[in-house]
Amino acid sequence: MSEQSANTNGLRRRTLLRLSAAGGAGAALAAAQTWAAPLLARRGLLSPDGAFAATSTALGDVVFYIEKFPTSPLIVSPFSDPLPIPKALAPVPKSVYNAWRNPPGPGPGQQNSLRNEQHQLWPSRIGYPDPIVYKIDVLLRTHAFTTSQVLPIDSDGNPTVSFDSSGRTFAAGTKRTLPPSTIYGFNGTFPGPMINAEYGKPALVRFENHLDENPLNLDRQDFGSPDWSFLTHLHNGHTAPESDGNPHYSMVSGPKHPGFLPRMWVDQLYLNWPAGNDDREKQSFFWFHDHTMDHTGSNVYKGLVGLYPIYDPKNGMDMGDERQGLRLPGVRKNNPDGSFDVDYDIPLAFSDFRLDDGVTTHKDIHDVQGEFPAAKNPAKHREWWGKTFYKHFPNHGFVGDICAVNGTASPVLEVKRRKYRFRFLDASVSRIYEFKLMSSTKGAKSSVSLGYEDDELEGQYRIEDGQQCMQFTQIASDGGLLPFPIKRHSFELWPAKRREVVIDFTRYQDGTPTTKGDVIYLTNVMKMPNGRMWSNSSRFFPDPKYKVPLLKFVIGDNAPDDSRIPAALRPLPPLPSNWQSMLDNRLIFEVKRGAAGGETEWLINGKAFDPAAVAASLTNRAGRAPLAQQKKGSFNLWELRNGGGGWVHPFHLHMEEHRTVMRNGKDVTRAGDPGHPDDVSKEDLAALDPGESVILYRGFRDFVGPYVAHCHNLAHEDHAMMFGWEITP
């Protein structure tokens, strides 16, 4: 959209937002420092940015977006659909891919359909075999979140009218079957396929874009990359830039575009090789998702999510076989097609959604820019009733009121009386979860029946009488296996983070044995009414009534169990004894809301993401402001600062994991931080509470080229909170 077409009454959009920010912030801050000061300070809002954020919604509603979300229809029969447990994707036989017109290979031009890239490091150069080849098509398809009937309700919880695709009206109180939602899916499903990978066995995945094809004549609605491009990132694979799927690479190399367009393909080479060839750097659970510049959030929300557990067969340590190595829960089954599945080892991908009510007006900055002309927004869309609703640019971030686990809302899983390994993934746009295992005498009751309304309807059901009945044993974070297992009453899961836990379904935490038919609810106790941050959690004003069940476990029959929970798992790579001497020369990056708003609402070091440039650090204690360039094979300290405003930021750095060495000026290398106990492990995402700072130690090994770092609140990432960095020879 041109600047001229962005004018509103002769005033350009960015100019208007900049002026309103300055005036609004000053007035709001003056008011905030009187009666509201204690409350705002407690929430991290006592700053010009925070005060402006608290008062800016009205301006946006008038000009650029409407801060109004629909209330999803109530699922009438929750916990009746079985939890989908994904099966491993079969590799492509060698005879088949060798017959492709453009077979994979290490030569020049063999990395993508544009013939302009080459794999930087082919497996033979590190003594590995040729890769196992997979094929994944990016497709336009449909997805159903529940088979239950639903009752349309309004924000007060009252039955309301609903519509069908032709606009026909159904009277209030009419129960309906949800129409399938339009998705972009890896192989056409949500979540997409699961690749069970192993260290020492590289994988090459050919992603092919077919989003221009619409065999079902589907309405694409008003979200998803407008030019139907995609860009796949294996989060947080140790990969070369051309296979990393990041826009700092894609905008200057390969497609030279935010993503790969329809009818293009790209071969992503995942070496399944630990950083520095150090076994201590091995991880255990990746996922892959879209990373198209400016539309990552909408493409992920629209379905572009896949799973990538990775096992370690060296000495049988962690290969999905509970009879050897660490003996973590899992019974491996090798399939004739070359893949393998592992029973009792289950990934759980959490994502939250809103479904259109047909009466909420669609309007955000992307509509003002004319990216979705067929929608003719601002408009209400009766024809989209019951389908996924998305807002690219909400002032307060995006959270849904229905939570899906592996793509199904309120599922149920019958479990054997034995130990299970669960791999948790937060695939939501903005929502953070806190999980507990709870029992309930009364069972799940709808929030409507309990008298709740508006934001309190989020999650749809509650177990107000819920009591914690079991503990988790955490065995891994997003950086792989921990040094030793940790007992947890609860744990937080931030966007893009992974946590792996063992649950023993044979007995409760008081030692009482479970019996067949018992019910345990995996329950979210973190209330997050919008994308800014939580309002209540175990460590921040707990709400004893906010107990939202997301997954129902039903105890079944006994089963053999050869698994154990070992006393030790995987040692951490050592920190250098003199890491404190590196503090003066650290690189510093501050994440903060921008005053101008609009497409550059979220900034790093005061600047929006420039895909063609490498970011510069703030001035450090040595008086330098170095570029974010690191020599191949080097290590360094990077500091991330949350600039305030009452926002939390899950900040992700591509390519290698880090160790948190300091949080808020305190050394956390020994005991960790009470609010962030995973600081003692390896991670690829730093959780920043309001006003916090962390200092991270990390390596830059094995590859050269451009990468990115960004907030994984995808509404922030898509509106400029990202910076480019690179590894140099």
Side-chain angles (χ1 to χ4, degrees):
M1 181 182 68
S2 69
E3 287 291 343
Q4 183 63 39
S5 64
N7 286 5
T8 303
N9 295 327
L11 197 60
R12 285 191 289 185
R13 171 168 59 86
R14 291 183 178 178
T15 302
L16 176 61
L17 280 175
R18 188 176 297 112
L19 293 173
S20 67
L29 184 62
Q33 290 179 340
T34 56
W35 62 272
L39 175 62
L40 292 175
R42 191 167 57 183
R43 292 293 307 278
L45 292 169
L46 195 58
S47 68
D49 173 57
F52 166 62
T55 59
S56 64
T57 301
L59 172 69
D61 281 0
V62 172
V63 184
F64 306 119
Y65 55 84
I66 294 177
E67 193 78 359
K68 174 69 175 174
F69 297 90
T71 299
S72 298
L74 176 67
I75 296 172
V76 175
S77 301
F79 307 111
S80 55
D81 286 330
L83 173 76
I85 300 177
K87 296 295 184 183
L89 180 67
V92 179
K94 189 172 184 178
S95 60
V96 173
Y97 68 74
N98 277 341
W100 289 349
R101 182 178 178 182
N102 297 290
Q110 286 193 274
Q111 195 266 339
N112 66 50
S113 57
L114 298 168
R115 316 293 292 176
N116 62 358
E117 286 288 316
Q118 180 177 2
H119 294 289
Q120 188 174 137
L121 187 62
W122 194 252
S124 59
R125 290 179 55 191
I126 56 172
Y128 275 18
D130 281 346
I132 300 168
V133 174
Y134 298 88
K135 174 74 158 35
I136 294 179
D137 292 331
V138 184
L139 302 173
L140 176 65
R141 291 295 186 267
T142 62
H143 177 76
F145 292 99
T146 181
T147 63
S148 167
Q149 285 198 305
V150 298
L151 177 68
I153 57 174
D154 61 19
S155 61
D156 295 324
N158 298 318
T160 188
V161 298
S162 61
F163 314 93
D164 65 12
S165 58
S166 67
R168 184 162 60 105
T169 302
F170 293 78
T174 305
K175 295 179 181 178
R176 302 282 306 281
T177 297
L178 275 182
S181 290
T182 300
I183 66 165
Y184 293 168
F186 293 118
N187 281 352
T189 66
F190 174 72
M194 179 174 73
I195 295 175
N196 277 339
E198 294 181 278
Y199 277 101
K201 298 180 180 180
L204 182 146
V205 185
R206 174 161 294 186
F207 292 95
E208 195 166 282
N209 190 344
H210 294 272
L211 289 178
D212 58 323
E213 301 167 14
N214 191 356
L216 303 179
N217 194 29
L218 300 174
D219 188 333
R220 297 173 186 265
Q221 300 176 264
D222 57 357
F223 63 94
S225 49
D227 61 4
W228 310 336
S229 60
F230 85 100
L231 186 66
T232 305
H233 170 54
L234 180 66
H235 182 126
N236 189 50
H238 186 57
T239 57
E242 71 275 3
S243 290
D244 181 62
N246 79 77
H248 187 29
Y249 154 78
S250 76
M251 292 293 287
V252 298
S253 303
K256 297 185 179 178
H257 189 76
F260 287 90
L261 290 163
R263 305 191 183 187
M264 291 183 183
W265 56 262
V266 58
D267 286 350
Q268 307 280 62
L269 178 58
Y270 306 135
L271 290 172
N272 298 334
W273 179 53
N277 198 27
D278 184 342
D279 286 343
R280 295 168 298 188
E281 296 283 3
K282 288 178 176 175
Q283 297 161 273
S284 52
F285 187 24
F286 299 131
W287 65 302
F288 52 96
H289 63 82
D290 184 79
H291 214 311
T292 302
M293 192 175 107
D294 298 337
H295 287 276
T296 296
S298 60
N299 277 2
V300 169
Y301 183 84
K302 208 173 184 81
L304 288 175
V305 170
L307 306 172
Y308 197 99
I310 183 164
Y311 295 84
D312 183 8
K314 188 174 183 179
N315 301 320
M317 182 177 183
D318 183 22
M319 61 181 296
D321 184 352
E322 62 189 33
R323 297 167 300 178
Q324 59 181 304
L326 293 173
R327 298 186 64 178
L328 295 169
V331 175
R332 178 169 171 144
K333 296 179 178 179
N334 294 319
N335 300 319
D337 60 18
S339 68
F340 66 94
D341 290 294
V342 183
D343 291 340
Y344 311 115
D345 181 346
I346 301 175
L348 300 175
F350 295 85
S351 45
D352 58 337
F353 298 88
R354 286 185 184 268
L355 303 181
D356 210 313
D357 57 7
V359 297
T360 297
T361 300
H362 292 238
K363 179 186 178 183
D364 70 18
I365 288 175
H366 290 255
D367 297 315
V368 175
Q369 292 175 172
E371 288 188 342
F372 304 94
K376 300 180 180 178
N377 292 336
K380 300 175 182 179
H381 290 280
R382 290 187 171 192
E383 73 279 13
W384 295 346
W385 178 89
K387 298 182 179 183
T388 42
F389 173 100
Y390 185 70
K391 193 177 288 291
H392 302 80
F393 183 77
N395 181 56
H396 287 95
F398 186 92
V399 294
D401 56 3
I402 289 178
C403 179
V405 190
N406 293 350
T408 295
S410 303
V412 60
L413 175 65
E414 182 176 312
V415 294
K416 305 293 186 182
R417 293 191 68 250
R418 55 154 292 149
K419 294 186 288 295
Y420 281 68
R421 178 180 187 169
F422 291 100
R423 302 173 188 251
F424 285 69
L425 160 67
D426 185 349
S428 297
V429 172
S430 304
R431 185 177 291 280
I432 305 171
Y433 303 85
E434 182 188 355
F435 294 112
K436 285 189 175 183
L437 292 167
M438 293 187 150
S439 60
S440 170
T441 301
K442 297 180 181 178
K445 305 293 182 184
S446 70
S447 299
V448 169
S449 69
L450 296 171
Y452 294 107
E453 57 185 31
D454 296 324
D455 292 340
E456 297 282 356
L457 295 175
E458 290 179 12
Q460 297 216 340
Y461 282 82
R462 297 198 185 192
I463 48 170
E464 286 194 322
D465 68 334
Q467 298 292 323
Q468 181 186 330
C469 63
M470 289 183 175
Q471 290 181 311
F472 305 100
T473 301
Q474 184 178 344
I475 59 171
S477 65
D478 32 302
L481 294 173
L482 302 175
F484 48 82
I486 302 173
K487 287 284 188 182
R488 288 280 172 84
H489 293 293
S490 70
F491 66 92
E492 294 180 6
L493 196 68
W494 290 47
K497 273 191 171 290
R498 286 89 64 217
R499 296 286 180 266
E500 295 178 50
V501 302
V502 173
I503 301 176
D504 186 347
F505 289 109
T506 63
R507 61 188 65 253
Y508 295 102
Q509 64 187 26
D510 64 1
T512 304
T514 58
T515 59
K516 186 174 181 177
D518 287 357
V519 171
I520 297 102
Y521 291 99
L522 179 67
T523 305
N524 179 32
V525 297
M526 179 176 282
K527 185 190 293 185
M528 194 168 177
N530 57 55
R532 177 189 291 274
M533 65 175 293
W534 59 88
S535 59
N536 307 86
S537 70
S538 291
R539 64 186 178 96
F540 195 101
F541 308 124
D543 180 345
K545 292 187 176 181
Y546 191 80
K547 301 167 185 175
V548 175
L550 302 185
L551 171 59
K552 178 180 178 179
F553 295 114
V554 179
I555 303 296
D557 295 324
N558 294 332
D561 187 357
D562 295 316
S563 70
R564 296 179 182 175
I565 300 177
L569 293 164
R570 191 186 295 281
L572 291 172
L575 290 168
S577 59
N578 66 337
W579 64 262
Q580 293 93 338
S581 67
M582 304 166 66
L583 286 169
D584 286 356
N585 284 301
R586 68 186 182 270
L587 275 67
I588 303 170
F589 302 98
E590 183 181 56
V591 296
K592 190 175 182 180
R593 194 174 190 205
E599 294 292 10
T600 57
E601 180 79 359
W602 301 100
L603 307 177
I604 296 177
N605 290 352
K607 296 182 179 180
F609 173 54
D610 180 351
V614 172
S617 164
L618 295 179
T619 303
N620 58 30
R621 292 196 311 205
R624 300 175 60 244
L627 292 175
Q629 293 174 323
Q630 301 284 167
K631 290 282 188 181
K632 178 183 174 182
S634 68
F635 294 81
N636 205 356
L637 296 179
W638 284 19
E639 180 178 357
L640 303 175
R641 295 175 180 172
N642 185 339
W647 296 86
V648 295
H649 298 289
F651 203 84
H652 171 49
L653 298 92
H654 283 218
M655 208 278 294
E656 278 205 40
E657 291 63 61
H658 61 258
R659 289 277 302 279
T660 303
V661 296
M662 300 188 78
R663 184 176 287 270
N664 301 326
K666 178 184 176 183
D667 184 339
V668 294
T669 57
R670 293 180 176 85
D673 179 87
H676 299 279
D678 290 299
D679 279 353
V680 298
S681 68
K682 292 190 298 119
E683 297 179 282
D684 62 50
L685 189 145
L688 292 169
D689 285 351
E692 282 196 323
S693 71
V694 293
I695 298 177
L696 314 174
Y697 177 82
R698 60 168 300 177
F700 305 87
R701 289 171 282 186
D702 304 320
F703 309 106
V704 296
Y707 295 92
V708 291
H710 59 88
C711 183
H712 225 290
N713 180 330
L714 298 180
H716 296 179
E717 175 195 324
D718 284 341
H719 294 88
M721 190 171 270
M722 180 158 55
F723 70 87
W725 61 274
E726 66 181 11
I727 301 175
T728 59

